[in-house]
């Protein structure tokens, strides 16, 4: 695809001068004339133009006069040339544009009263601006609506054939799901192959369609765009931190839109991937509207006053009788920064215990702690901009298009616009692997071995950076010795990847000027995830990519605010600002600020230890905020026993979850759409969350509940608004709300390489014992799929239609054939922990010997097949990779 230098600042082209309406301007030669004009501040009519892809030139609206040409020219497809004299205004141009509008309207239905785009339609605006009143011989196409897709309806009567939907899907999303197709005597936009649309359902085609030709099946005929209240907020699905608009009428969310739309078609190409955007769970009928207190007859609704009285009475009694360490708290990283901060303050300052943890413990802490330890950085090293501009991207253990759709657009942009090479090492042929220059299928669960193979190959092939390794000769010597002990035979057997492929990949990575590593659950949520991140640091260090600008090591967090949870110190080993809880000075600082004495360090009091202490009867009260450990953790962890053992199980959640059903008191919390506050995205950028709706019935934002509890428990936490909490955080962590800046992040590995490295490195390259694969030959992974995020999205009917709970085990078709199985055949899946029975589903993208089950559903309870291995350094529990045997029933 040709590039537009104006919006791709890195593209080289000579600078030229031309004149726009008498004004001299400079531009790069060969760029779209429309771009040059819009950079002078003039916005001339345009319907088929969008800054995210190259001009298409179909609508005929962007007409200008160029000296020397007799007729008006389409400025979007015209190229800027030196000395051009361009005129953008005048009666002749007005009439020519008016004619173009009339041409569109002659075959257009006058559906405006019932059209979803009414009041938000570019064609309507153009007709109005050009005074199009009388249409003689209008002949609407009279086509039936194409309703074959599960989510989007296509009304080709309204289509102006601008191609924006097709172009954005092809060029930006790189999905290429749509095409023009001639049938019924006219041109239609259809899903490729003229069938029902099955795609990533990103919504970009709907967002950019300048008219009402593509509509959302779920909100059609329900609203008029101008009747909706629009609130800009931050998406709570993943950690990408997308800005979006929640559009509401009364108490209902009608639709969620992104800033990427035809209303926002004049942008910077470098921001193409920004702001893409079912939030049906927000107004789900299953929401909790009142506090619930368990009685002999079951749950009874209670007023807040009564419920809080019960909670406070029991907490005080437990603390008085057993001490503060009889109480512990766990919170979801889907809460705002302000809530996360207040929660740990409540537990530490008001209750007096350090037994506090968040869902960042499920993996992200492996990354932040390892990177802090090795390089003094506690978050992703590279922002979106650096990902986009990398020459080589190394993706390991991530299905990025499914888990972080917008971060994946950055990767796609790097490949498509900037020609980056991508090495994608996964056990599934993921969407991003299909676009990669170097897709590398590796055995499921072998990510760490694969990284070690890369390090070994870098050392053996002398792909090391001299400056980096000579600055730390002892560390390098220790690394060389460590990798020498690993045999290629073992590495190849474990990763299923031959040495040559590993060498090719590491050569590409090592020789690139700007190389970025992106990993995710396949590293951070696996056994020894902490060591896995350090293996990646080794790779970056020896190849000179740890401290070089534009390079770095990154792990994608799963939940919306995992980075915030770590930054706010919701972990027994951390204080806000990622200060170490064991550091006396840091503790003294917070004790002074909070006017309390802080409990002594108890770094081991993490999620799994807290559950163990519950089982042992040492913890009597467990406060769960948005966490549903019963649905998340495998049965082998004894989670049910822990929850059933405590005297007070307090659950705070928008829904009554599996865990909530065991609770003694349930407090109704709001969703992010009813909250004020901030999320920290994966780049470390703090984004605002704004309330689009009043709280559902009696539900309250989590921060309000924490503040009320703290105050009643005797530690005044009198905040009137989330901003009051923000002010407190700002005082304690100056600059936190700018954390996205400064970029680039500077890694400082010198101390680590000098002090701890030699002592630690051998252990993380030890071959270890091989799991017995003969008895259980299949590798089962439990992971995310695009349309779901955690368990919340399974309450959204639209998302459930897109990806329903099928209870099927996805397997490679050749494996199915070998076991004489067909689609939907019943099988028994047996692990060391037990067996479940379910049906099969072929999936060509899975490597042989591997199978997959989406983690959002637990029907049948497949997660209970997992054994849980706790990381020796970070206590992160790993349970998403299971060795199983499969037999036909
Ligand atoms: S697309 Fe625009 S002009 Fe056409 S019916 Fe809808 S609102 Fe009216
Ligand atoms: S929803 Fe996204 S992926 Fe699907 S057709 Fe539209 S632009 Fe393409
Ligand atoms: S469906 Fe919309 S975006 Fe696609 S070609 Fe038609 S008018 Fe343009
Ligand atoms: S914007 Fe130029 S032809 Fe449509």
């Amino acid at each position: 695809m040709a590039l537009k230098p104006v919006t791709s600042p890195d593209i080289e082209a000579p600078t030229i001068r031309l004149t726009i309406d008498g004004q001299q301007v400079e531009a790069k030669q060969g760029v779209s004339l429309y771009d040059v004009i819009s950079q002078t501040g003039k916005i001339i009519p345009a319907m088929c133009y969008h800054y995210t892809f190259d001009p298409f030139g179909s609508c005929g609206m962007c007409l200008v006069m160029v000296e020397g040409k007799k007729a008006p020219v389409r400025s979007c497809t015209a190229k800027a040339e030196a000395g051009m004299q361009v005129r953008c205004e005048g009666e002749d141009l007005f009439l020519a544009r008016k004619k173009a509008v009339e041409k569109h309207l002659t075959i257009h239905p006058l559906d405006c009263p019932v059209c979803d785009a009414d009041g938000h339609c570019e064609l309507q605006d153009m007709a109005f601006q050009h005074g199009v009143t009388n249409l003689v011989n209008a002949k609407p196409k009279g086509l039936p609506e194409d309703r074959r897709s599960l989510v989007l309806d296509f009304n080709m009567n309204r289509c102006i054939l601008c191609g924006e939907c097709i172009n954005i899907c092809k060029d930006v999303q790189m999905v290429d799901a749509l095409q023009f197709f001639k049938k019924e005597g006219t041109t239609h936009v259809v899903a490729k192959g003229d069938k029902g649309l099955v795609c990533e359902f990103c919504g970009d085609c709907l967002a950019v369609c300048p008219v009402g030709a593509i509509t959302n099946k779920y909100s059609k005929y329900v609203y008029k765009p101008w009747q909706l209240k629009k609130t800009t907020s931050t998406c709570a699905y993943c950690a990408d931190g997308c800005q979006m608009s929640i559009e509401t009428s009364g108490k209902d969310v009608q639709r969620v839109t992104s800033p990427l739309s035809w209303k926002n078609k004049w942008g910077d190409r470098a921001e193409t991937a920004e702001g893409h955007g079912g939030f049906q769970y927000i107004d789900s009928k299953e929401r909790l509207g009142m506090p619930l207190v368990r009685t002999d007859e079951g749950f009874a609704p209670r007023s807040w006053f009564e419920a809080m009285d019960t909670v406070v009475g029991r907490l005080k009694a437990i603390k008085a009788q057993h001490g503060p360490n009889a109480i512990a708290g766990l919170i979801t990283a889907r809460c705002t920064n302000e809530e996360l901060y207040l929660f740990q303050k409540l537990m530490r300052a008001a209750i007096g215990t350090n037994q506090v943890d968040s869902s960042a413990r499920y993996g992200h802490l492996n990354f932040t702690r390892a990177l802090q330890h090795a390089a003094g950085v506690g978050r992703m090293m590279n922002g979106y901009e650096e990902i986009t501009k990398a020459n080589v991207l190394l993706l390991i253990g991530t299905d990025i298009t499914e888990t972080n759709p917008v971060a994946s657009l950055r990767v796609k942009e790097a490949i498509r616009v900037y020609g980056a090479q991508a090495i994608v090492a996964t056990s599934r042929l993921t969407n991003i692997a299909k676009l990669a220059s170097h897709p590398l299928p590796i055995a499921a669960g072998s990510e760490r071995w694969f990284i070690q193979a890369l390090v070994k190959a870098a050392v053996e092939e002398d792909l090391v950076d001299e400056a980096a390794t000579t600055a730390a000769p002892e560390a390098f010597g220790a690394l060389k010795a460590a990798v020498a002990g690993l045999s290629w035979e073992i590495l190849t057997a474990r990763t299923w990847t031959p040495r040559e492929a590993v060498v090719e990949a590491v050569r590409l990575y090592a020789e690139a000027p700007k190389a970025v590593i992106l990993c995710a659950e396949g590293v951070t949520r696996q056994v020894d995830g902490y060591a896995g991140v350090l293996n990646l640091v080794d790779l970056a260090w020896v190849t000179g990519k740890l401290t070089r600008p534009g390079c770095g090591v990154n792990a994608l967090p799963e939940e919306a605010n995992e980075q915030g949870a770590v930054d706010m110190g919701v972990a027994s080993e951390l204080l806000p600002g990622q200060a170490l809880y064991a550091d006396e000075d840091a503790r003294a600082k917070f004790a002074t600020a909070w006017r309390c004495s802080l409990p002594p360090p108890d770094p081991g009091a993490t999620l799994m230890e807290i559950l163990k202490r519950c089982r042992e009867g040492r913890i009597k009260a467990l406060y769960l905020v948005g966490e549903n450990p019963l649905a998340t953790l495998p049965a082998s962890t004894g989670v049910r026993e822990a929850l059933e053992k405590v005297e007070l199980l307090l659950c705070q959640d928008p829904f009554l979850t599996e865990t909530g059903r065991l609770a003694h008191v349930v407090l109704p919390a709001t969703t992010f759409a009813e909250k004020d506050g901030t999320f920290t995205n994966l780049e470390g950028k703090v984004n605002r969350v704004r309330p689009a709706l009043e709280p559902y019935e009696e539900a309250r934002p989590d921060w309000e509940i924490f503040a009320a509890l703290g105050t009643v428990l005797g530690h005044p936490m009198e905040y009137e608004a989330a901003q009051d909490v923000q002010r407190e955080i700002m005082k304690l962590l100056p600059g936190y709300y700018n954390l996205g800046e400064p970029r680039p992040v500077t890694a400082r590995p010198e101390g680590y390489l000098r002090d701890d490295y030699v002592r630690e490195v051998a252990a993380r390259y030890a071959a270890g014992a091989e799991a017995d694969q003969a008895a259980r030959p299949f590798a089962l992974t439990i992971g995310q799929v695009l349309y779901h995020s955690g368990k919340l999205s399974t309450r959204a009917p639209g998302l459930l239609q897109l990806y329903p709970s099928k209870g099927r085990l996805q397997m490679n078709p050749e494996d199915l054939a070998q076991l004489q199985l067909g689609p939907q055949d019943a099988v028994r899946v047996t692990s060391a922990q037990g067996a479940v029975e379910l049906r099969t589903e072929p999936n060509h993208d899975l490597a042989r010997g591997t199978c997959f089950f989406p983690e959002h559903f637990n029907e049948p309870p497949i997660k209970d097949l997992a054994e849980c291995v706790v990381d020796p350094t970070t206590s992160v529990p790993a349970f998403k990779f299971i060795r199983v045997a499969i037999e036909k029933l």
Side-chain angles (χ1 to χ4, degrees):
M1 191 182 66
L3 293 174
K4 294 192 296 178
V6 159
T7 46
S8 302
D10 292 355
I11 303 300
E12 284 187 14
T15 301
I16 51 155
R17 291 193 163 184
L18 62 163
T19 309
I20 311 280
D21 286 338
Q23 182 193 346
Q24 275 253 330
V25 294
E26 282 193 350
K28 287 186 179 173
Q29 185 171 14
V31 304
S32 158
L33 188 54
Y34 187 90
D35 284 346
V36 182
I37 295 167
S38 57
Q39 286 195 351
T40 67
K42 283 182 206 298
I43 298 292
I44 55 172
M47 288 200 288
C48 66
Y49 172 91
H50 200 283
Y51 71 94
T52 56
F53 44 78
D54 279 358
F56 189 59
S58 69
C59 76
M61 290 305 296
C62 61
L63 301 173
V64 293
M65 293 304 295
V66 176
E67 204 170 272
K69 305 253 182 216
K70 286 195 189 120
V73 299
R74 296 178 184 212
S75 61
C76 64
T77 45
K79 290 190 166 53
E81 300 296 342
M84 254 181 174
Q85 306 266 347
V86 181
R87 175 164 61 80
C88 306
E89 306 298 343
E91 181 69 11
D92 52 345
L93 287 171
F94 179 84
L95 290 175
R97 289 172 192 153
K98 181 173 177 178
K99 218 172 185 174
V101 185
E102 285 169 348
K103 208 170 137 213
H104 288 295
L105 281 177
T106 315
I107 50 166
H108 198 90
L110 287 180
D111 274 358
C112 300
V114 290
C115 178
D116 264 15
D118 180 26
H120 189 90
C121 169
E122 203 156 5
L123 184 59
Q124 214 180 40
D125 289 356
M126 292 294 159
F128 180 73
Q129 280 166 22
H130 292 85
V132 179
T133 47
N134 275 325
L135 286 173
V136 260
N137 299 330
K139 268 202 202 113
K141 297 180 222 168
L143 299 164
E145 206 174 21
D146 179 353
R147 309 201 67 213
R148 290 174 290 177
S149 152
L150 282 173
V151 181
L152 301 172
D153 288 339
F154 291 79
N155 186 330
M156 285 302 108
N157 299 309
R158 300 175 189 154
C159 175
I160 59 166
L161 302 178
C162 68
E164 289 198 44
C165 52
I166 296 170
N167 287 331
I168 203 147
C169 188
K170 179 158 169 269
D171 288 350
V172 178
Q173 287 292 339
M174 293 177 89
V175 175
D176 202 8
L178 299 172
Q179 68 173 127
F180 282 131
F181 191 73
K182 283 225 181 244
K183 61 177 180 180
E184 295 152 345
T186 185
T187 306
H188 296 240
V189 171
V190 294
K192 284 249 161 114
D194 191 23
K195 46 189 188 210
L197 176 66
V198 179
C199 63
E200 293 186 5
F201 290 116
C202 67
D204 276 2
C205 53
L206 171 69
V208 295
C209 179
V211 290
I214 306 180
T215 48
N216 178 336
K217 212 186 262 294
Y218 293 96
S219 52
K220 202 157 58 166
Y221 306 135
V222 177
Y223 62 85
K224 288 281 175 190
W226 31 269
Q227 291 173 325
L228 300 179
K229 183 181 141 220
K230 203 166 176 170
T231 310
T232 303
S233 194
T234 305
C235 180
Y237 256 38
C238 72
D240 289 351
C242 294
Q243 294 304 289
M244 56 168 201
S245 299
I246 306 172
E247 300 194 30
T248 53
S249 61
K251 290 181 179 170
D252 299 321
V253 177
Q254 295 299 2
R255 62 178 188 179
V256 177
T257 51
S258 73
L260 182 95
S261 72
W262 64 263
K263 280 280 186 198
N264 187 13
K265 54 167 61 187
W266 301 278
D268 186 333
R269 185 67 163 266
E271 280 151 23
T272 294
E274 251 167 43
H276 299 247
F279 285 84
Q280 288 162 319
Y281 72 83
I282 297 164
D283 41 16
S284 160
K285 298 292 167 265
E286 294 168 38
R287 284 284 304 271
L288 278 171
M290 289 283 284
L292 302 173
V293 175
R294 181 173 296 285
T295 66
D296 291 343
E297 284 79 45
F299 279 129
R302 289 282 184 270
S303 68
W304 270 103
F305 183 80
E306 281 176 276
M308 289 296 263
D309 194 50
T310 307
V311 170
V312 171
R314 292 207 203 167
L315 283 176
K316 276 186 173 167
I318 288 170
K319 185 174 166 181
Q321 201 183 342
H322 305 284
N325 279 337
I327 304 171
L330 304 171
I331 186 169
T332 172
R334 293 187 192 280
C335 281
T336 64
N337 286 319
E338 295 68 27
E339 290 166 338
L340 291 159
Y341 167 84
L342 273 198
F343 183 68
Q344 59 82 38
K345 180 174 170 183
L346 169 75
M347 298 308 294
R348 286 164 169 160
I351 293 175
T353 179
N354 193 30
Q355 295 174 139
V356 58
D357 213 347
S358 83
S359 48
R361 182 70 62 190
Y362 285 115
H364 195 52
L365 272 158
N366 267 338
F367 173 69
T368 56
R369 289 215 15 214
L371 212 61
Q372 273 285 14
H373 176 56
V377 179
R379 59 180 165 125
M380 281 198 8
M381 291 177 66
N382 302 110
Y384 284 147
E385 177 81 19
E386 288 163 307
I387 294 172
T388 310
K389 303 283 176 67
N391 309 106
V392 167
L393 289 154
L394 173 56
L395 280 77
I396 301 179
T398 170
D399 192 353
I400 191 170
T401 50
E402 303 268 331
T403 56
N404 299 74
V406 172
S408 84
L409 284 186
R410 292 292 180 164
V411 174
K412 290 176 182 177
E413 195 177 2
I415 297 171
R416 171 182 60 92
V417 179
Y418 296 96
Q421 311 237 51
I423 306 158
V424 178
T426 48
S427 58
R428 274 196 283 172
L429 186 60
T430 57
N431 288 344
I432 211 78
K434 289 174 191 162
L435 300 173
S437 56
H438 293 70
L440 265 183
I442 60 170
S446 74
E447 287 83 354
R448 236 196 105 207
W449 298 112
F450 178 73
I451 301 165
Q452 295 187 17
L454 290 172
V455 179
K456 183 174 167 70
V459 172
E460 288 178 0
E461 295 293 312
D462 199 20
L463 292 164
V464 299
D465 180 82
E466 218 180 305
T469 48
T470 49
E474 286 179 6
F476 185 50
L479 178 66
K480 272 208 294 204
V483 295
L486 273 178
S487 84
W488 278 107
E489 207 186 341
I490 289 183
L491 291 173
T492 308
R494 289 184 183 176
T495 61
W496 301 352
T497 314
R499 183 179 185 276
E500 307 78 67
V502 178
V503 170
E504 190 191 349
V506 82
R507 187 177 299 283
L508 197 68
Y509 170 78
E511 290 177 352
K514 287 185 280 176
V516 165
I517 296 173
L518 286 167
C519 74
E521 70 281 359
V523 175
T524 55
R525 291 186 173 222
Q526 294 286 8
V527 174
D528 286 331
Y530 176 83
V533 177
L534 288 176
N535 290 135
L536 283 174
V537 172
D538 290 339
L539 176 66
W541 164 56
V542 288
T543 52
K545 302 284 189 284
L546 193 58
T547 51
R548 184 180 298 167
C551 302
V553 179
N554 307 277
L556 301 157
E558 187 178 310
E559 292 184 355
N561 203 19
E562 287 188 31
Q563 187 60 44
V566 177
D567 294 340
M568 291 300 119
V570 197
S572 56
E573 67 271 45
L574 295 176
L575 277 162
Q578 295 193 30
L580 291 180
Y581 195 89
D583 177 346
E584 269 183 42
D585 292 343
R587 258 198 341 274
K589 170 181 151 182
F590 286 95
T592 310
W594 297 337
R595 295 198 189 91
C596 66
S597 56
L598 285 176
D602 184 4
T606 58
L607 170 71
M608 301 312 287
E609 175 66 17
I610 286 174
L611 292 175
K612 180 166 163 259
R613 291 179 191 179
C614 290
R615 278 195 304 278
E616 291 168 352
R618 291 159 66 192
I619 291 174
K620 311 275 183 198
L622 184 61
Y623 186 7
L624 298 177
V625 181
E627 274 297 280
N628 184 3
L630 205 53
T632 310
L633 289 166
S636 61
T637 57
V639 55
R640 179 175 287 277
E641 293 79 351
L643 299 173
E644 286 176 346
K645 176 89 183 190
V646 289
E647 290 170 19
L648 173 62
L649 181 62
L650 172 58
C651 287
Q652 186 168 304
D653 204 287
F655 295 95
L656 188 60
T657 63
E658 291 93 321
T659 305
R661 290 199 184 94
L662 299 179
H664 300 95
V665 181
V666 184
L667 301 177
T670 56
T671 64
F672 83 104
E674 302 145 275
K675 279 180 184 176
D676 207 342
T678 58
F679 286 157
T680 303
N681 82 346
L682 44 75
E683 295 177 284
K685 195 166 154 196
V686 180
N687 290 314
R688 181 85 192 269
V689 175
R690 290 185 181 83
L693 292 168
E694 288 297 313
Y696 179 78
E697 297 188 0
E698 294 289 309
R700 301 308 309 157
D702 294 287
W703 70 264
E704 261 187 55
I705 306 172
F706 302 147
L709 264 179
T711 305
V712 191
L713 285 168
H715 186 87
M717 289 167 67
E718 284 154 2
Y719 308 97
E720 298 210 337
Q723 284 73 15
D724 295 341
V725 188
Q726 263 163 34
R727 269 188 282 278
E728 184 171 315
I729 298 171
M730 259 187 268
K731 257 194 231 157
L732 289 163
L733 308 176
Y736 184 72
Y737 287 91
N738 308 326
L739 193 59
E741 306 297 332
R743 288 262 169 216
V745 169
T746 312
R748 303 209 177 284
E750 306 78 18
Y752 169 63
L753 293 171
R754 188 187 55 231
D755 301 333
D756 298 325
Y757 194 91
V758 174
R759 185 164 34 83
E760 291 179 4
V761 71
R764 63 175 174 264
Y765 289 89
E770 177 70 305
D772 174 19
Q773 298 197 4
R776 284 186 281 278
F778 286 94
L780 166 63
T781 49
I782 309 175
Q784 288 207 73
V785 293
L786 173 63
Y787 308 114
H788 291 286
S789 174
K791 302 282 182 287
L792 264 189
S793 57
T794 61
R795 295 182 190 270
L799 296 173
L800 278 176
Q801 272 211 37
L802 285 181
Y803 202 107
S805 170
K806 290 187 273 188
R808 302 263 161 79
L809 180 73
Q810 298 177 22
M811 290 179 70
N812 177 290
E814 287 176 44
D815 286 337
L816 283 174
Q818 197 182 23
L819 294 175
Q820 296 180 338
L821 288 164
Q824 298 198 39
D825 274 356
V827 287
R828 180 178 295 113
V829 181
T830 311
S831 76
Q833 305 299 320
V836 295
E837 291 175 9
L838 70 175
R839 291 188 181 271
T840 56
E841 180 179 343
N843 182 342
H844 290 268
D845 293 341
L846 288 171
R848 285 206 67 179
T850 63
C851 39
F852 177 80
F853 193 85
E855 66 176 19
H856 317 282
F857 307 110
N858 198 29
E859 287 294 324
I862 204 146
K863 73 170 170 51
D864 291 341
L865 296 181
E867 183 190 3
C868 182
V869 181
V870 176
D871 192 279
T873 312
T874 57
S875 304
V876 165
F879 51 85
K880 291 196 173 184
F881 172 74
I882 315 165
R883 290 226 70 89
V884 293
I886 296 173
E887 58 189 308
K888 189 173 181 175
L889 284 178

